[in-house]
Amino acid sequence: MTIAAQMLDTYPLDLGGIDKQKLLTCIDACVECAQACTACSDADLSEEMVADLRKCIRSCLDCADVCGATWRVLSRHTAYDANVTRAVLEACATTCKACGDECERHAHMHEHCRICAEVCRRCEQACRDLLGSLG
Amino acid sequence: MTIAAQMLDTYPLDLGGIDKQKLLTCIDACVECAQACTACSDADLSEEMVADLRKCIRSCLDCADVCGATWRVLSRHTAYDANVTRAVLEACATTCKACGDECERHAHMHEHCRICAEVCRRCEQACRDLLGSLG
Amino acid sequence: MTIAAQMLDTYPLDLGGIDKQKLLTCIDACVECAQACTACSDADLSEEMVADLRKCIRSCLDCADVCGATWRVLSRHTAYDANVTRAVLEACATTCKACGDECERHAHMHEHCRICAEVCRRCEQACRDLLGSLG
Amino acid sequence: MTIAAQMLDTYPLDLGGIDKQKLLTCIDACVECAQACTACSDADLSEEMVADLRKCIRSCLDCADVCGATWRVLSRHTAYDANVTRAVLEACATTCKACGDECERHAHMHEHCRICAEVCRRCEQACRDLLGSLG
């Protein structure tokens, strides 16, 4: 059981109908994606062909920032606002898709991009699954 | 001329058709809103009636995080991705509206909420203006 | 093998003598602590006795922010600067200690504080272990 | 009067002996530096000679993250903890010095580095001034 799961389990109030498993999966995916994208942007920067990876670096930095804001919003439940959650999840899914697409283009050359692309896909899916469950 | 304006003026490449003044106004508004919301959440926490301000604290923390991700995305122009910018601006406008509405409810009692509400309104508008100009 | 470990393994350059296992443990601990502290601050906010938890909420928010900056700095290795790493790790250890102490005071009443205190202790230790290995 | 100054003026409690003007100067400097460093890292990325600016990009990203955590900690006053504030200010001054030094090396070639170096110097000084006043 991850720490995020334990924190969710010990939350003092009802979560107001949100799908707990999908919420947890999404928090974990965003946390993982924020770290992977930060690391991937720096690995890109270390490559000899850095000039060809400019767009990839930017996509990763954007994705790290948006995933970072998303898991923070999702980790708060007090007086939960579905409009905000929905808008943030939409932005996160869009950003993860853009970053996943970009990293995938370099996946055959850079193993860090291959891993990062997979993490972005998983995070995009987790955002969409949670969005779908919000009704 | 603010530092953000100077940084934008010295950017080595063309900004790709984005409205420079609206971009700058939006970056400045998001930076200001992130700080104001962080300060307002803590001022709420100091109020005797903190129990009545739970939703306000959470809205401010969410808004600070989303504005923080937004100005970071907007401050990057290399290989700019309009889909990401648009989704992030939508999320930011929605979050600022929610926080502005919530702070406004306490504006008559707490001066920090009155100021914060105004800052949120201004930031929401700046996001919508920039969104409108993206076509 | 976590994603952070995979990203570290596929980094294109040498890590310059840093202890890879301690670095990884510290990145993972900071990521976990940032999330746990964000969740704990919100759980505190939901408690009936929120007025007694003001200091705990603030400590958790500070700790989440400092851990968040720390894992981001640690996830970058390009042209690594030991002075910066050291200063950031010192700040993170201090902040984790303060938050661990505060959460521990409420651990007997709030399970989320008990878990969060443990996570903070682990993160403080991971920062100190990495600091020690930097020489 | 900036918004940060207005928020500080409407804070419900006493600030506990902290020098209000130095605090405000430091918050404003950290906010400005976080934005300038984010913009400078992206401007570096757009330069033809990006391969020579790797260290500068990383320094700017680190500085943006540490300044971002610092102004957030400084914007909270509830149950203020001098140990945490001190450690965070030390880390911020060190990171600003490293980034200012690095940007200065490119200041003659890149106007954005020249501006960013100045902003980093100002922020480092503001952190040291506030540190000095904490006793």
Side-chain angles (χ1 to χ4, degrees):
Chain A
M1 203 181 188
T2 65
I3 293 293
Q6 293 178 44
M7 293 308 292
L8 206 53
D9 262 1
T10 57
Y11 187 69
L13 300 180
D14 188 75
L15 292 178
I18 205 166
D19 184 312
K20 202 170 151 180
Q21 189 51 54
K22 287 195 168 64
L23 174 62
L24 192 57
T25 302
C26 195
I27 291 173
D28 283 339
C30 287
V31 165
E32 194 173 70
C33 196
Q35 198 278 328
C37 285
T38 304
C40 190
S41 69
D42 194 72
D44 285 341
L45 200 60
S46 293
E47 296 288 352
E48 219 177 311
M49 60 182 289
V50 56
D52 298 330
L53 293 167
R54 288 172 163 114
K55 190 186 164 95
C56 197
I57 294 172
R58 186 195 196 261
S59 297
C60 282
L61 291 171
D62 283 356
C63 198
D65 286 337
V66 175
C67 286
T70 303
W71 71 250
R72 290 169 74 121
V73 169
L74 293 178
S75 298
R76 293 185 200 110
H77 315 295
T78 306
Y80 159 76
D81 183 326
N83 286 338
V84 169
T85 305
R86 216 174 274 125
V88 170
L89 285 171
E90 291 279 8
C92 195
T94 300
T95 312
C96 287
K97 168 147 184 41
C99 190
D101 287 351
E102 185 57 32
C103 277
E104 202 168 274
R105 293 184 50 227
H106 313 286
H108 63 293
M109 293 194 64
H110 305 302
E111 187 66 4
H112 51 82
C113 285
R114 190 192 60 73
I115 298 165
C116 192
E118 274 181 27
V119 173
C120 289
R121 299 303 185 203
R122 209 149 56 216
C123 190
E124 182 195 354
Q125 192 56 53
C127 290
R128 296 208 190 283
D129 287 350
L130 183 56
L131 262 172
S133 77
L134 294 178
Chain B
M1 202 181 189
T2 65
I3 293 293
Q6 293 178 44
M7 293 308 291
L8 206 53
D9 262 0
T10 57
Y11 186 69
L13 301 180
D14 188 77
L15 292 178
I18 205 168
D19 184 312
K20 203 169 149 178
Q21 190 50 56
K22 288 195 168 65
L23 174 62
L24 192 57
T25 303
C26 195
I27 291 173
D28 283 339
C30 286
V31 165
E32 193 173 70
C33 196
Q35 198 278 328
C37 284
T38 303
C40 190
S41 68
D42 194 71
D44 285 342
L45 200 60
S46 293
E47 296 288 352
E48 219 178 311
M49 60 183 289
V50 56
D52 298 330
L53 293 168
R54 287 172 165 115
K55 190 187 164 95
C56 197
I57 294 172
R58 185 193 197 263
S59 297
C60 283
L61 291 172
D62 283 356
C63 199
D65 286 337
V66 175
C67 286
T70 302
W71 71 250
R72 289 169 74 120
V73 169
L74 294 178
S75 297
R76 291 185 201 112
H77 315 295
T78 304
Y80 158 76
D81 183 326
N83 286 338
V84 169
T85 304
R86 217 174 274 124
V88 170
L89 285 170
E90 290 280 8
C92 195
T94 301
T95 312
C96 286
K97 168 148 185 39
C99 190
D101 287 351
E102 184 58 31
C103 276
E104 203 168 274
R105 294 184 50 227
H106 313 287
H108 62 292
M109 294 193 64
H110 306 303
E111 187 65 3
H112 51 82
C113 285
R114 190 192 61 72
I115 299 165
C116 191
E118 275 180 28
V119 174
C120 289
R121 297 305 186 203
R122 210 149 55 215
C123 190
E124 182 196 353
Q125 192 56 52
C127 290
R128 295 207 191 283
D129 287 349
L130 182 55
L131 262 172
S133 77
L134 294 178
Chain C
M1 202 182 189
T2 66
I3 293 293
Q6 293 178 45
M7 293 308 291
L8 207 52
D9 262 0
T10 58
Y11 186 68
L13 301 181
D14 188 76
L15 293 178
I18 205 167
D19 184 313
K20 202 169 151 179
Q21 189 50 56
K22 287 194 168 65
L23 174 62
L24 192 56
T25 302
C26 195
I27 291 174
D28 283 339
C30 286
V31 165
E32 193 173 70
C33 195
Q35 198 277 328
C37 285
T38 304
C40 190
S41 68
D42 195 71
D44 285 341
L45 200 60
S46 293
E47 296 288 351
E48 219 176 311
M49 60 183 292
V50 56
D52 298 330
L53 293 168
R54 287 171 165 117
K55 190 186 163 94
C56 197
I57 293 172
R58 187 196 195 261
S59 297
C60 282
L61 290 172
D62 282 356
C63 198
D65 286 337
V66 176
C67 286
T70 303
W71 71 251
R72 289 169 75 121
V73 169
L74 293 179
S75 298
R76 293 184 201 111
H77 315 295
T78 304
Y80 157 77
D81 183 327
N83 286 337
V84 170
T85 304
R86 218 174 273 125
V88 169
L89 285 171
E90 292 280 9
C92 195
T94 301
T95 313
C96 286
K97 168 147 184 42
C99 190
D101 287 351
E102 184 58 32
C103 276
E104 203 168 274
R105 293 184 51 227
H106 314 286
H108 63 292
M109 293 194 64
H110 305 304
E111 187 65 3
H112 51 83
C113 285
R114 191 191 60 72
I115 299 166
C116 191
E118 277 181 26
V119 173
C120 289
R121 298 304 186 203
R122 210 148 55 215
C123 190
E124 182 196 352
Q125 193 56 53
C127 290
R128 296 207 190 284
D129 287 349
L130 183 56
L131 263 172
S133 77
L134 293 178
Chain D
M1 200 180 191
T2 65
I3 294 292
Q6 293 178 44
M7 292 309 292
L8 206 52
D9 263 0
T10 58
Y11 185 69
L13 301 180
D14 188 77
L15 292 179
I18 204 167
D19 183 312
K20 202 169 150 179
Q21 190 50 55
K22 287 194 169 67
L23 174 63
L24 192 56
T25 301
C26 195
I27 291 174
D28 283 339
C30 286
V31 165
E32 194 173 69
C33 196
Q35 199 277 328
C37 284
T38 304
C40 191
S41 68
D42 195 71
D44 285 340
L45 200 60
S46 293
E47 296 288 352
E48 220 177 310
M49 59 183 291
V50 57
D52 298 330
L53 293 167
R54 287 171 165 116
K55 189 185 165 94
C56 197
I57 294 172
R58 187 196 195 259
S59 297
C60 282
L61 291 172
D62 283 357
C63 198
D65 286 337
V66 176
C67 286
T70 303
W71 71 250
R72 290 169 74 122
V73 169
L74 293 178
S75 298
R76 293 184 201 112
H77 316 295
T78 305
Y80 158 77
D81 183 327
N83 287 336
V84 169
T85 305
R86 217 174 274 125
V88 170
L89 285 170
E90 291 278 9
C92 195
T94 301
T95 312
C96 286
K97 168 147 184 40
C99 190
D101 287 351
E102 184 57 32
C103 277
E104 204 168 272
R105 292 184 51 225
H106 314 286
H108 63 293
M109 293 193 63
H110 305 303
E111 187 65 4
H112 50 84
C113 285
R114 190 192 60 74
I115 299 165
C116 192
E118 276 181 27
V119 174
C120 289
R121 298 302 185 205
R122 210 150 56 216
C123 191
E124 183 195 353
Q125 193 56 53
C127 289
R128 296 207 189 283
D129 287 349
L130 183 55
L131 262 172
S133 78
L134 293 179

